[in-house]
Amino acid sequence: MNRALQISASKQKLVQAAAEKIIENLDAAVRKRGRCSVALAGGMTPRAIYALLATENYRSRVEWPKVFLFWGDERTVPPDHPDSNFRMVNESLLSHIAMPAANIVRIKGER
């Protein structure tokens, strides 16, 4: 794994590089293990990356049925609340990809 510091010329270049690295890692994990588990970050910082992964050029390169998504954090709000990390991921990524509901393991912040 390459852990070298990479500097991007712009936010867009950073988002593209991050999306490419995510796809590379998802593909490698699926090839090696037949599936992949990912802990998602919340907040607004990763939103642009999730949105780019949802575009046709990126989403078609991922075997989404073999990917399992987990939340690394969540706010204590319902999943449709404006502050919900699940809502942000759902709007920017999940609503644009074909992923089985069973592969989406959210934190139930409303509890």
Side-chain angles (χ1 to χ4, degrees), residues 20-84:
E20 289 294 336
K21 183 55 99 174
I22 289 168
I23 289 175
E24 176 185 316
N25 288 332
L26 292 174
D27 183 57
V30 168
R31 278 188 282 114
K32 184 176 182 178
R33 295 179 204 92
R35 62 177 279 174
C36 179
S37 296
V38 179
L40 299 173
M44 297 310 290
T45 303
R47 184 181 185 108
I49 298 167
Y50 300 153
L52 185 59
L53 288 170
T55 63
E56 180 55 35
N57 289 339
Y58 287 83
R59 74 174 175 245
S60 63
R61 295 168 50 198
V62 176
E63 292 184 75
W64 293 109
K66 296 181 179 181
V67 176
F68 292 77
L69 299 179
F70 299 84
W71 272 248
D73 65 285
E74 181 57 282
R75 298 179 175 116
T76 55
V77 297
D80 59 349
H81 190 278
D83 293 337
S84 168

Side-chain angles (χ1 to χ4, degrees), residues 91-108:
E91 290 176 351
S92 59
L93 177 62
L94 297 177
S95 63
H96 305 281
I97 62 174
M99 173 175 271
N103 293 19
I104 301 167
V105 185
R106 72 176 185 88
I107 296 171
K108 296 184 178 175

